[in-house]
Amino acid sequence: MSGAPNLPEGFTDTFTSRYIDTGEVRLHAVTGGDGPPLLLVHGWPQTWYAWRMLMPALARDFSVVAVDQRGIGLSGKPQGAYDTGTLANDLVALMDALGHRRFALYGTDVGMPIAYALAADHPDRVDRLVVSEAPLPGISPSPPLFLPPLLNERLWHLAFNQLPTVNEQLVTGREEIFFGAEFDASAGTNKLPAEAVRYYIDTLAAGPDHLRGSFEFYRAIPTTSAQNEQRKTRRLSMPVLAIGGAESSGEGAGNTMKLAADDVQTLVIPGCGHWVAEQAPGELLAALTAFLAPYRESTDV
């Protein structure tokens, strides 16, 4: 957590930054709190830090695990194997190492397809699933090539990030331009604090593996799509809460999850863009508290 700006007061008294070797990759996670386990999976181009504003309150009821995905932040950045099946297996191994057999799970942005893969591939491990602000490759309809200008500004990276090399060549040395534009366009009217954006960009610019790792999820989308074609034949039975920002995907996450799950609740947060945990932490915390209450109460000792 060293260097992370403007953490909530007392954050480092509750949470510990640690490395966990899963046998396949070394993952970085920030853990703390008491209660049943809750795994938080960030989006692109963020890190565990995206959850900082929610974590102290969540830690009063849950053992919180905020992970850096493979390829991101302080986690390992091996070559290849960034499909959601592999990323989900990483997280199962992480929770095994931490002693958590069954847990609640929240994934946002690219964390949403990772969380979906974990719930679909390991349904015995996930009690309740929360997702936000993403499509599911191979399940959601693909966006058209030509989009209205405002939507194109938010989504053009989906194709660009999949390129094998030229994206890294173009972005290296221009991380502030590229990622700054991404954070700005997806925020809507309520922009993220400049110091938070700067922290994310500095992490991404720390070395070539950081930039490569940020693109690897997208390069594996064809593999993930093929996996999801199989997963969607096994509909999720656990309760799902699907969330969208009113100034971003809105009902999109909910409509997507209804294609893959039987018990889906939806929430659209007014005045919020894509970065729901940072733009609307109060509203999100209230929704999580209500949705996860049966899980928390059923595991109280």
Side-chain angles (χ1 to χ4, degrees):
M1 292 177 286
S2 176
N6 294 337
L7 292 175
E9 185 176 356
F11 192 94
T12 55
D13 296 330
T14 302
F15 293 98
T16 301
S17 179
R18 59 197 299 185
Y19 291 103
I20 296 94
D21 191 341
T22 70
E24 297 293 330
V25 65
R26 188 174 80 153
L27 295 177
H28 170 252
V30 178
T31 64
D34 294 304
L38 170 62
L39 175 59
L40 304 175
V41 188
H42 63 80
W44 179 89
Q46 299 168 298
T47 66
W48 73 269
Y49 179 73
W51 306 107
R52 68 196 179 280
M53 299 169 73
L54 295 169
M55 290 169 68
L58 290 172
R60 293 196 286 267
D61 294 318
F62 303 99
S63 295
V64 176
V65 180
V67 64
D68 284 343
Q69 302 158 24
R70 171 190 293 236
I72 304 297
L74 296 178
S75 287
K77 300 165 181 63
Q79 297 286 339
Y82 285 80
D83 58 275
T84 55
T86 297
L87 294 168
N89 288 340
D90 286 345
L91 300 184
V92 169
L94 167 73
M95 297 303 272
D96 281 342
L98 294 173
H100 301 315
R101 172 65 192 171
R102 191 167 173 85
F103 47 91
L105 172 63
Y106 180 9
T108 191
D109 186 75
V110 300
M112 174 171 161
I114 297 169
Y116 166 68
L118 199 165
D121 295 355
H122 307 274
D124 59 319
R125 305 301 298 270
V126 179
D127 191 284
R128 288 191 163 227
L129 174 64
V130 185
V131 295
S132 56
E133 282 292 309
L136 294 177
I139 296 176
S140 309
S142 295
L145 180 60
F146 299 105
L147 293 165
L150 288 177
L151 198 55
N152 186 60
E153 189 177 13
R154 284 178 27 223
L155 299 181
W156 72 278
H157 71 278
L158 294 175
F160 178 80
N161 287 5
Q162 296 181 58
L163 297 171
T165 58
V166 72
N167 45 8
E168 289 178 39
Q169 294 168 349
L170 289 171
V171 174
T172 299
R174 304 176 183 87
E175 291 88 354
E176 186 168 2
I177 296 171
F178 176 66
F179 291 108
E182 289 293 330
F183 280 111
D184 184 73
S186 294
T189 55
N190 179 23
K191 307 302 183 185
L192 297 189
E195 64 272 13
V197 174
R198 179 78 264 164
Y199 178 64
Y200 289 130
I201 293 173
D202 286 347
T203 301
L204 290 155
D209 281 344
H210 288 259
L211 189 57
R212 175 184 59 79
S214 79
F215 291 138
E216 293 286 18
F217 171 91
Y218 295 89
R219 290 168 175 158
I221 282 177
T223 302
T224 292
S225 296
Q227 293 173 354
N228 281 350
E229 290 284 347
Q230 298 301 313
R231 290 186 184 109
K232 69 183 180 182
T233 67
R234 311 186 302 271
R235 293 179 64 83
L236 302 184
S237 59
M238 75 281 292
V240 177
L241 173 62
I243 301 167
E247 296 183 6
S248 184
S249 66
E251 295 281 358
N255 293 337
T256 291
M257 291 310 302
K258 289 173 183 177
L259 300 174
D262 294 327
D263 182 1
V264 180
Q265 302 175 38
T266 63
L267 171 67
V268 176
I269 302 178
C272 179
H274 181 67
W275 317 108
V276 290
E278 297 180 271
Q279 294 180 290
E283 295 90 335
L284 185 56
L285 178 64
L288 292 176
T289 300
F291 178 72
L292 296 175
Y295 164 64
R296 186 187 71 248
E297 293 162 1
S298 70
T299 53
D300 281 345
V301 177

